[in-house]
Amino acid sequence: MEDESTSDPQALGKVTEDLDVPRGPDLSMEITVPASWIAEGATLVVAWPRRLLCRACGGGGCDACGRSGAFSLQGEPVREPFEVSLPRREAPPSSLTIRLPSLGMPSDKEDHPPGHLFLEVRPGQPPSAGVARATRNESRVLRRDLMRSSVWMAIFVSLLFLGMLRLSGWL
Ligand SMILES: [Zn+2]
């Protein structure tokens, strides 16, 4: 009988290769956030630094980055801060890397998509400058829910009041 559950170390490599379509240069970014944010799977708002490390060489210099080891965002249109949701982890790992497609550098070839941004998240205090928790949306939803429940409460109280009037013979 063949054992089909045997894991093939080549299989993972193949899948990864398939995802590697030609694209612009990949960027690396390292941020620090409190461990509790990782435990909660928080959504972050991250501002772009002026310079980002080249993922391909890790700062050593390669053809993709013109030997500088980094990319400057200053010549580019201003990038709005991006949002990223951390995967929730019971015990925060020493670091986790999140791949964000299309947030890397644009390709110099027109039909190629931009590279990826590899965001390395480490637990620690204080959070990196430019990194904050996204709380606005949550509080807006919470407020809407509160409003909805207070409307129902008002209807309920009115009905109760009418019922009491009826019981006491006023209506
Ligand atoms: Zn490089």
Side-chain angles (χ1 to χ4, degrees):
M1 225 169 76
E2 270 189 41
D3 184 10
E4 288 181 33
S5 69
T6 306
S7 66
D8 176 9
Q10 291 293 312
L12 189 65
K14 269 180 225 149
V15 171
T16 315
E17 252 169 65
D18 287 345
L19 288 172
D20 280 344
V21 292
R23 58 176 188 267
D26 292 344
L27 295 172
S28 280
M29 186 174 172
E30 238 183 72
I31 61 169
T32 302
V33 302
S36 61
W37 294 11
I38 301 176
E40 290 163 32
T43 298
L44 309 179
V45 180
V46 184
W48 289 95
R50 288 203 191 118
R51 282 167 66 80
L52 285 152
L53 269 189
C54 172
R55 169 82 181 177
C57 62
C62 65
D63 289 338
C65 58
R67 307 272 150 208
S68 68
F71 290 93
S72 169
L73 298 181
Q74 272 172 313
E76 271 199 273
V78 175
R79 293 188 178 203
E80 292 292 318
F82 64 92
E83 279 196 11
V84 58
S85 292
L86 299 175
R88 192 173 304 197
R89 297 285 161 84
E90 292 280 317
S94 57
S95 84
L96 63 108
T97 304
I98 302 169
R99 189 177 57 125
L100 299 159
S102 313
L103 285 185
M105 296 305 287
S107 173
D108 48 10
K109 298 190 179 69
E110 264 187 40
D111 51 341
H112 290 177
H116 302 161
L117 171 65
F118 288 82
L119 186 69
E120 195 172 326
V121 185
R122 294 170 184 281
Q125 287 281 12
S128 302
V131 177
R133 286 194 71 162
T135 51
R136 266 170 302 144
N137 290 345
E138 284 168 30
S139 56
R140 205 180 300 144
V141 168
L142 191 68
R143 209 173 305 137
R144 203 174 55 211
D145 283 354
L146 270 177
M147 259 171 65
R148 197 181 297 146
S149 55
S150 53
V151 166
W152 282 115
M153 187 57 100
I155 291 171
F156 175 72
V157 168
S158 316
L159 286 174
L160 198 69
F161 186 63
L162 282 174
M164 275 164 62
L165 284 179
R166 173 138 228 166
L167 275 179
S168 53
W170 284 89
L171 281 175

